[in-house]
Amino acid sequence: MRLEPIPAPSLARRLGLPAFALILTALVAMGLVALAGAAPGEVAWLVLKGAAGSQFALLETLNRATPLIFTGLAVAVAFRAKLWNIGAEAQLYLGAVATVVLGTGLLDWPPAVLLPVLAVAAMAAGALALLVPTFLKTRFGVDEVVTTLLLNFVALLFVSYLLEGPLKDPMGLGWPKSPPLIDEARLPRLVEGLRLHWGFGLALIAAALVWVIQTRTIWGFEIRAVGLNAEAARFAGMPVNAVLVRTAILSGGLAALAGFSEVAGAKGALTLDLSPGFGYTGIIVAMLALLHPLGVVVAAIFVAGIFVGADSMSRAAGVPSFIADILLASALLAMVLALGLTRLRIRR
Amino acid sequence: MTELLEILLSASFWAAAIRIASPLIFAAMGELICERAGVLNLGIEGIMVVGAFAGWMAVYSGLGLWPGVGVALLSGMAFGLLHATLTVPFGLSQHVVGLGITLLATSATYYAYRLALPQVTTPPKIDAFDPYAIPILSDLPLIGPALFTQTPLTYAAFATAALVAFVLFRTPLGLALRACGENPAAVAAQGLPVTGLRMGAVIVGSGLMAVGGAFLTMSAFDSFFFEMVNGRGWICIALVVFGAWRPGKTLLGAILFAAFDALQIRLQQTPLGAALPYQAFLAAPYILSILALVVMSRRAQVPAALMVPFRKGER
């Protein structure tokens, strides 16, 4: 038995296998639910109802999807260039730090000026966080997977230091928390009366912009070329290192916007639990979206729905909400396998 | 300064360093085997979590300590089999599969923990491994208490490192494994099964990672907590690079790293600790790992076929 490459896979193969992967994943999750002593059908229904069963649930899902769109885009952009940015978590937190430093009264400008400044400052902080590992990669050949992973821990400790020191809220009653943002620094609601902030709108705009960059610009072409074959790209005269640096700025900046939007839109202050792993979940979102920027929006809403639905299901049915993480991790693996198999066939 | 000397000359400091190094030695040896055979295993962090839970849970359910280590080993090998199947015969991205395995193993562990102990707020304790003083050797000054008054699992870690070094560099199997990581086509030309060798390396390596995790719950501590692995897996990947993919150097790197970790804990109690925020000390090991990677990067002898999938008959 061996595997053979298929030169031009059919459309049925390209769509059928990922669909099969998702069904397989759902079956695995159902089995685990049964193991917990609950009825799989009922649990699936509760997840669906919790994620999209009411206006409140739907808005909660979209709110939760917002940071995931940003981190998913960050990962998708970087992975396209084979820049393995696993540090979206660190970039998210540094973006949040920049937002809090400037947005708690240091700058007191009208929202129309302040909000763009905060967003750009956050992006700069996140870009910087990814430029360090990128520089170590291009200059010293140090694998960025390990460095970005390790920097996640450093960034979290840095935030912990800030929240107990310079950025501590004097009114915080000892809880590690930053002072609240001033009103001018808060993202307004998308529609008056509905609990959905402008971070979601910004995320959709970001996804559209990334799509334009990737498909309609020379830079996007260079990113893809470097990702497919860095040697060939270099031979064709492309500045490979410069492309990687530009990709890092974009990717780090996008991840940082997740932190900006969570602080300025959702929470209003920085805490140590601002992100329950949005940076890592971004990898799942990007892979489920096949690294396509518009697909990231769909995948992020799907993933957020699973999380929100599982939370509410867990309260009602008593199945641990970690079932959502298992479901998504297996979906990631099944999807990668399905993608691999679209280009391979098994021969006896 | 005298305080620093006092710390460095105390037996308890070195005993702590060896204790902190032990799980890293197990897991780094596991990663080294995988990478020498040509497969980067980023599942290490999650597999350590699985091992930590499986070993502890087995003992908590009534099994003996060594059978518990066996359960941890098997749990790691199960996830290793999944990793190996996806990355070796199917040749899928080792980055993405590895991270996926880490996410899956971690969440599956937490799920199993909640199912097994739904009500508890503080996890129950087990009777963990006790230190065993090796006769005569443990009476030596300084190194006696540091090296020879450890738990049996620490001795097993050192024995594992020696065994890995012996198998990799003194046996035909080791030669074939290393060749899989350097030039798999040459291995196939010899009529040896590259796929089987690589899969075996990943499965055994993952088993060792899980035992490294089990050390945390069965020897270093006596209970299981969420996030107790806390990046140790990623540090092991850095240690393998630091050790230039050689077991002896990787072992030394693990001890050096652990000594630094033990030192930062002790320095927190000194006047220096009062002057700096404690987070600076906690971040130091991660920053040190990154610096070590930068320093070693120029001299590193990366296995030539690391992360290169192999399919027979294709070039």
Side-chain angles (χ1 to χ4, degrees), chain B residues 245-305:
Chain B
W245 287 269
R246 304 193 64 97
K249 283 186 185 170
T250 304
L251 175 89
L252 280 179
I255 295 174
L256 202 68
F257 176 87
F260 187 82
D261 203 17
L263 184 66
Q264 63 89 5
I265 296 168
R266 278 160 180 72
L267 281 181
Q268 284 185 44
Q269 325 294 331
T270 65
L272 185 69
L276 284 173
Y278 70 92
Q279 289 94 346
F281 292 96
L282 292 178
Y286 302 111
I287 295 169
L288 184 78
S289 301
I290 294 172
L291 289 180
L293 287 176
V294 174
V295 172
M296 297 307 288
S297 61
R298 288 167 185 281
R299 280 172 286 166
Q301 295 282 312
V302 191

Side-chain angles (χ1 to χ4, degrees), chain A residues 6-20 290 338-339 342:
Chain A
I6 304 171
S10 66
L11 191 66
R13 203 180 171 87
R14 288 204 318 237
L15 294 179
L17 277 165
F20 179 70
L290 315 182
L339 289 182
T342 46

Side-chain angles (χ1 to χ4, degrees), chain B residues 115-135:
Chain B
L115 281 193
L117 306 160
Q119 308 299 345
V120 298
T121 43
T122 44
K125 292 182 186 310
I126 58 167
D127 284 324
F129 280 103
D130 283 321
Y132 173 77
I134 295 179

Side-chain angles (χ1 to χ4, degrees), chain A residues 52-123:
Chain A
S54 63
Q55 192 192 51
F56 177 83
L58 206 57
L59 290 176
E60 184 61 28
T61 296
L62 293 183
N63 267 323
R64 190 80 72 94
T66 303
L68 291 177
I69 297 175
F70 285 121
T71 55
L73 286 173
V75 172
V77 163
F79 279 23
R80 269 269 184 241
K82 291 236 164 66
L83 177 71
W84 301 101
N85 174 16
I86 324 290
E89 194 78 4
Q91 293 137 29
L92 180 155
Y93 271 106
L94 287 190
V97 166
T99 309
V100 166
V101 167
L102 298 177
T104 44
L106 189 66
L107 307 178
D108 108 48
W109 297 339
V113 187
L114 184 56
L115 284 170
V117 168
L118 290 182
V120 170
M123 287 183 82

Side-chain angles (χ1 to χ4, degrees), chain B residues 105-282:
Chain B
T106 309
S107 50
T109 302
Y110 291 176
Y111 186 73
Y113 175 87
R114 279 269 175 265
L115 281 193
L117 306 160
Q119 308 299 345
V120 298
T121 43
T122 44
K125 292 182 186 310
I126 58 167
D127 284 324
F129 280 103
D130 283 321
Y132 173 77
I134 295 179
I136 305 167
L137 288 175
S138 60
D139 296 333
L140 292 169
L142 193 61
I143 56 168
L147 259 180
F148 300 110
T149 319
Q150 297 281 357
T151 69
L153 218 46
T154 292
Y155 305 135
F158 280 81
T160 302
L163 186 69
V164 168
F166 177 79
V167 172
L168 274 181
F169 292 95
R170 293 280 182 276
T171 65
L173 172 68
L175 181 65
L177 276 179
R178 283 184 292 131
C180 282
E182 300 288 347
N183 189 347
V187 179
Q190 291 277 316
L192 293 169
V194 175
T195 304
L197 283 164
R198 280 186 162 177
M199 285 186 74
V202 174
I203 293 168
V204 171
S206 302
L208 289 182
M209 294 167 192
V211 174
F215 185 94
L216 297 173
T217 49
M218 301 175 69
S219 182
F221 307 98
D222 50 9
S223 197
F224 176 84
F225 307 98
F226 284 8
E227 286 167 31
M228 77 184 305
V229 174
N230 204 12
R232 281 185 178 83
W234 312 132
I235 282 167
C236 285
I237 292 181
L239 283 175
V240 172
V241 180
F242 177 77
W245 287 269
R246 304 193 64 97
K249 283 186 185 170
T250 304
L251 175 89
L252 280 179
I255 295 174
L256 202 68
F257 176 87
F260 187 82
D261 203 17
L263 184 66
Q264 63 89 5
I265 296 168
R266 278 160 180 72
L267 281 181
Q268 284 185 44
Q269 325 294 331
T270 65
L272 185 69
L276 284 173
Y278 70 92
Q279 289 94 346
F281 292 96
L282 292 178

